[in-house]
């Protein structure tokens, strides 16, 4: 990740200057070169995790970290140096919003990712955080996302993973989602074609399907068509030749090519989504 800080770890500080990356000026120039070519740059920042070796981790993990029912700090997975912070803690909200504000100013990026927000599956049992015990994280995610939205320029995009609830979505522009991914497994018995209802209920909120995460997609033309059927974007990761079969690459190109058709009417022109869902 761009923000990895050597011995201070991947998450928490997001100031790798002089360690992995020479400095913010060099990084900003690289971002500007890409964006001049028409490639908007978005930066990864974790919404929950902080490495205990980071500056913020050493200073505040004990105070701001989420705790389980036994009162113990919660690592991402056992043995992991990254621990989960409580989004209900106002000081953590303000710290992370400040990170987004600083990084936006330093890099000139146009997109800002809040990773892991939207799943809303965690509960905090920590005493002293100013919330009920135990506490569900949903309201904390809403408030922290609101602060991030205010911290970056209006032209910047804020997005998460997964799609949030309707109330929380007002403070961001879109999200990654696993609707089609779920449809490849247990959900298939109940919904042969996964339908992303949120995408149709809130059409201004843009969703991008992650069919497979952090490993090759391989051959999955049907899932690509399901993404197109829902009128969504597609997460594309990895080397094209080795991570996607020829048939999958062809399906992606075809679906992305069929986007919008302009239709003239006697009274007004309109744009409609043109969906061709070929089952053969």
């Amino acid at each position: 990740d761009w923000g990895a800080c050597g011995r201070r770890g991947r998450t928490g500080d997001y100031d790798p200057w002089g360690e992995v990356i020479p400095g913010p000026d060099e990084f900003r120039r690289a971002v500007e070169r890409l964006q001049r070519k028409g490639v908007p740059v978005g930066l990864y920042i974790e919404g929950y995790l902080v490495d205990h070796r980071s500056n913020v981790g050493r200073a505040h993990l004990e105070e701001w970290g989420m705790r389980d029912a036994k009162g113990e700090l919660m690592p991402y997975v056992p043995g992991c140096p990254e621990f989960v912070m409580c989004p209900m803690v106002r000081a953590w909200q303000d710290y992370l919003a400040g990170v987004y504000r600083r990084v936006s100013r330093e890099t000139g990026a146009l997109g800002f990712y809040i990773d892991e927000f939207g799943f809303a599956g965690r509960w905090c049992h920590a005493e002293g955080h100013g919330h009920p015990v135990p506490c569900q994280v949903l309201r904390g995610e809403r408030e922290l996302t609101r602060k991030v939205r205010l911290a970056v320029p209006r032209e910047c995009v804020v997005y998460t993973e997964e799609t949030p609830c309707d109330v929380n979505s007002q403070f961001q522009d879109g999200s990654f989602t696993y609707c089609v991914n779920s449809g490849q497994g247990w959900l298939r018995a109940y919904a042969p074609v996964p339908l992303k209802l949120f995408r149709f209920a809130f059409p201004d909120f843009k969703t991008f399907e992650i069919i497979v995460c952090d490993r090759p997609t391989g051959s999955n033309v049907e899932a690509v068509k399901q993404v197109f059927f829902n009128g969504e974007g597609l997460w594309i990761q990895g080397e094209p030749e080795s991570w996607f079969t020829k048939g999958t690459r062809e399906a992606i190109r075809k679906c992305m090519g069929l986007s919008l058709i302009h239709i003239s009417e006697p009274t007004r022109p309109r744009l409609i989504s043109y969906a061709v869902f070929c089952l053969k």
Side-chain angles (χ1 to χ4, degrees):
D1 296 334
W2 76 275
C5 297
R7 293 181 180 179
R8 287 183 287 143
R10 183 183 73 103
T11 58
D13 294 337
Y14 302 99
D15 58 349
W17 322 126
E19 296 191 35
V20 180
I21 300 172
D25 293 338
E26 291 85 351
F27 191 78
R28 185 184 183 93
R29 286 196 293 269
V31 169
E32 289 173 347
R33 284 196 297 271
L34 277 174
Q35 295 187 154
R36 282 196 300 268
K37 294 179 180 179
V39 182
V41 176
L43 297 180
Y44 175 101
I45 295 177
E46 243 290 348
Y48 275 104
L49 302 183
V50 160
D51 195 298
H52 71 86
R53 300 168 296 180
S54 67
N55 292 333
V56 65
R58 291 198 304 270
H60 297 292
L61 176 58
E62 290 287 335
E63 180 184 2
W64 299 347
M66 287 184 67
R67 294 183 181 270
D68 60 22
K70 297 180 180 179
E72 297 178 353
L73 290 170
M74 298 168 56
Y76 179 58
V77 293
C80 178
E82 296 178 332
F83 286 76
V84 182
M85 304 297 268
C86 178
M88 292 291 291
V89 175
R90 290 185 180 180
W92 165 244
Q93 295 171 3
D94 293 338
Y95 167 80
L96 195 58
V99 168
Y100 282 88
R101 182 181 299 107
R102 171 180 57 81
V103 169
S104 172
R105 183 179 64 251
E106 289 178 337
T107 68
L110 293 177
F112 292 94
Y113 184 23
I114 313 177
D115 193 16
E116 293 197 78
F117 270 32
F119 291 102
R122 291 184 169 116
W123 291 76
C124 183
H125 296 257
E127 302 283 351
H129 281 185
H131 59 62
V133 179
C135 181
Q136 220 282 337
V137 298
L138 200 60
R139 282 186 292 175
E141 287 192 7
R142 182 192 64 201
E143 184 61 12
L144 206 160
T145 304
R146 185 187 70 83
K147 291 182 177 181
V148 169
R149 175 70 272 173
L150 294 174
V152 300
R154 290 177 61 86
E155 65 269 20
C156 291
V157 171
V158 174
Y159 51 106
T160 64
E161 174 194 347
E162 207 1 293
T163 304
C165 67
D166 52 357
V167 174
N168 290 12
S169 70
Q170 65 184 304
F171 301 118
Q172 63 188 82
D173 303 281
S175 74
F176 298 119
T177 181
Y178 292 88
C179 177
V180 170
N181 174 284
S182 300
Q184 311 306 301
W186 64 270
L187 188 61
R188 190 180 184 89
Y190 305 96
V193 178
L195 186 63
K196 182 68 175 179
L197 292 176
F198 196 99
R199 177 259 177 276
F200 296 99
F202 301 92
D204 289 340
F205 188 96
K206 306 305 179 184
T207 52
F208 296 82
E209 290 285 351
I210 299 179
I211 297 175
V212 178
C213 187
D214 295 338
R215 58 186 177 85
T217 298
S219 177
N220 204 332
V221 173
E222 182 181 0
V224 172
K225 291 179 178 180
Q226 290 171 352
V227 174
F228 181 63
F229 178 78
N230 280 284
E232 298 177 284
L234 176 64
W235 159 274
I236 297 178
Q237 176 188 18
E239 296 294 330
E241 299 294 331
S242 59
W243 283 51
F244 301 86
T245 63
K246 180 180 179 182
T248 302
R249 295 197 304 272
E250 290 175 349
I252 292 173
R253 284 195 293 268
K254 182 177 181 180
C255 289
M256 293 302 166
L258 295 170
S259 54
L260 292 173
I261 289 182
H262 180 267
I263 296 180
S264 295
E265 291 183 343
T267 55
R268 60 181 177 85
R270 63 188 174 122
L271 289 174
I272 64 168
S273 296
Y274 180 64
V276 177
F277 191 66
C278 180
L279 297 178
K280 293 185 180 180

